Amino acid sequence: MKHDSRRRPLVVGEGRISGYLSITLGVLSTLAVLCFLFPDALTTPELRAGYDLGWMRVFLGVGMVFSAGFGVLTFVLGRQRHLGALGLLLTGLAFWLGGTGVQVGPRYTAPGYIGLDWFILDLLGSALIFVLIEKIVPREPGQPVLRPDFWHDARYFVFNHLTIGIFIFIGHVMMPRLFAWSINADLQAWFRDLPGIVQFAVILFLADLVEYAIHRTMHEVPWLWRIHAVHHSAEHMDWLAGSRLHVLEPLVTRALVMLPAFVLGAEPGPLLCYVIFAGFQAGLIHANVGLRFGLLEYVFTTPRYHHWHHASDREAVDVNYAAHLPIIDRLFGTHHLPSRRWPDRYGVIGEPLPKGMVRQFLYPFRRRAT
Ligand SMILES: [Zn+2]
Ligand SMILES: [Zn+2]
């Protein structure tokens, strides 16, 4: 059955790996061309400011060449020709829309945007970096890339990335309105005079304090737990598992963790470093990575640290809430990191969550089974 073939582990030489790569790169190339055509509606203003158009065209060209190459390879390997055909069709579509020679579309003031560029860059970056690390130093060597629920979490990845623009937009609009009273010009001037690395460290610490408070509240208030339980329903940990989030969770968390940086008036440089660091760490701590981090394990949260947070072992219920710095869990007595051991299993204890994104979205609003 079609469903089953998507879930079978990938085998080298069969044509599915090259087929999936061809389709993925074909989709991303087409989306990238659309980003050129409709920059204001489809790209993130903060990222757009840092792009070099020449290099973006080179990346697009490389993506299209690899997409076509993997498509042809799939044909040569023979058994999955429909995947190769789709990949080649998508590369053709990117080419037809303008390819690397595409002109930047007319500019206008968009009321909001879809962060397609962030989706493309994060998917390419995360998949390349984390799948590679997971293959080199896996925590669970037998876990395939297409592990159970891979496609379920992939849907969350797509959905959460495409809606991030809405969250950032709400944050931009709401934050100045709700917290304008907290702005102090002297405090902001003093903070901006601090070295960038100090600003980064302060933002990281304060954002994690906020994150800790929200995260712990979500575990301790029963209705909020039903929202956060979606994240904890993952039974297989890897770079993609962290994407499984009920849509209401990032809506609250992403806006509030930025509050300290907003109040302190942080410089754009340290702020961007924080956003990149937080994004990378979020992928890493969920990843199927068994790397030993030595002394760093005391300073930053690691895969083993956050895997204990996801454990359904009794010893590890409601521990390790911090997203970046374990010291915060130590301060509040919720730190749990047995030396060198990993959890036995992951997931929620008790009532299992329904399967599927829509059912999981509705889960917190449903009457509890008695
Ligand atoms: Zn949690
Ligand atoms: Zn997590």
Side-chain angles (χ1 to χ4, degrees):
M1 278 195 312
K2 199 177 169 199
H3 237 60
D4 286 338
S5 89
R6 285 201 317 164
R7 279 161 176 72
R8 262 191 301 115
L10 295 167
V11 180
V12 176
E14 188 193 41
R16 269 198 311 151
I17 298 177
S18 56
Y20 286 146
L21 284 172
S22 175
I23 293 171
T24 307
L25 290 171
V27 169
L28 295 183
S29 301
T30 305
L31 295 180
V33 175
L34 290 175
C35 285
F36 274 91
L37 289 171
F38 307 102
D40 292 292
L42 300 180
T43 64
T44 317
E46 288 81 358
L47 293 174
R48 202 162 59 218
Y51 291 151
D52 180 301
L53 271 184
W55 277 109
M56 288 296 138
R57 287 183 199 281
V58 172
F59 285 135
L60 172 59
V62 172
M64 286 171 66
V65 167
F66 273 92
S67 170
F70 282 126
V72 172
L73 178 64
T74 312
F75 263 95
V76 174
L77 291 171
R79 273 186 286 170
Q80 305 285 337
R81 288 206 169 115
H82 60 290
L83 298 179
L86 187 55
L88 286 170
L89 203 70
L90 287 160
T91 318
L93 181 62
F95 190 74
W96 179 71
L97 287 169
T100 53
V102 64
Q103 294 302 310
V104 176
R107 308 300 305 272
Y108 65 97
T109 312
Y113 62 89
I114 301 170
L116 260 189
D117 54 339
W118 170 236
F119 166 70
I120 298 169
L121 294 173
D122 199 26
L123 178 60
L124 275 180
S126 301
L128 277 177
I129 296 170
F130 291 124
V131 172
L132 196 68
I133 307 177
E134 286 180 346
K135 286 295 157 199
I136 298 170
V137 270
R139 131 92 175 120
E140 195 72 69
Q143 179 170 297
V145 174
L146 298 187
R147 41 84 179 165
D149 289 341
F150 175 89
W151 296 105
H152 176 65
D153 292 339
R155 263 173 245 134
Y156 270 106
F157 185 94
V158 175
F159 184 78
N160 286 336
H161 275 75
L162 296 190
T163 50
I164 196 170
I166 301 168
F167 299 141
I168 295 175
F169 183 70
I170 291 171
H172 275 322
V173 174
M174 300 298 281
M175 206 91 90
R177 287 200 186 154
L178 289 175
F179 296 99
W181 56 269
S182 65
I183 303 295
N184 179 307
D186 292 337
L187 174 72
Q188 291 202 340
W190 171 79
F191 187 72
R192 284 202 194 109
D193 273 347
L194 294 172
I197 182 82
V198 178
Q199 290 190 39
F200 167 79
V202 172
I203 297 169
L204 188 72
F205 180 75
L206 293 179
D208 210 12
L209 266 186
V210 174
E211 171 88 38
Y212 181 95
I214 300 170
H215 194 174
R216 189 162 173 179
T217 308
M218 292 196 117
H219 274 250
E220 294 184 359
V221 175
W223 187 74
L224 292 177
W225 164 249
R226 289 170 75 81
I227 294 174
H228 185 55
V230 169
H231 183 60
H232 280 269
S233 67
E235 290 172 355
H236 304 272
M237 298 294 282
D238 69 359
W239 65 280
L240 201 54
S243 302
R244 195 185 298 189
L245 289 167
H246 191 284
V247 69
L248 292 178
E249 190 173 332
L251 189 70
V252 178
T253 321
R254 289 217 179 101
L256 288 180
V257 293
M258 298 308 275
L259 187 59
F262 171 76
V263 173
L264 292 170
E267 295 277 336
L271 198 57
L272 188 64
C273 286
Y274 161 72
V275 172
I276 293 170
F277 182 84
F280 176 77
Q281 202 178 13
L284 181 68
I285 61 178
H286 291 97
N288 177 28
V289 167
L291 192 68
R292 293 226 187 109
F293 286 84
L295 289 175
L296 268 182
E297 204 163 55
Y298 293 94
V299 185
F300 296 112
T301 58
T302 58
R304 201 166 73 85
Y305 191 84
H306 195 65
H307 279 218
W308 274 108
H309 178 68
H310 278 264
S312 55
D313 308 45
R314 290 276 167 196
E315 62 174 296
V317 175
D318 298 339
V319 295
N320 297 4
Y321 294 111
H324 309 301
L325 306 166
I327 192 169
I328 294 178
D329 276 301
R330 283 195 192 276
L331 285 173
F332 294 104
T334 47
H335 185 276
H336 181 81
L337 195 63
S339 98
R340 298 202 173 174
R341 274 197 300 125
W342 288 78
D344 287 333
R345 62 192 84 82
Y346 306 105
V348 289
I349 301 173
E351 182 191 348
L353 263 76
K355 295 273 181 194
M357 254 179 93
V358 176
R359 285 202 193 95
Q360 293 191 344
F361 172 77
L362 295 173
Y363 175 71
F365 309 105
R366 261 190 14 210
R367 214 174 254 280
R368 202 182 299 220
T370 44

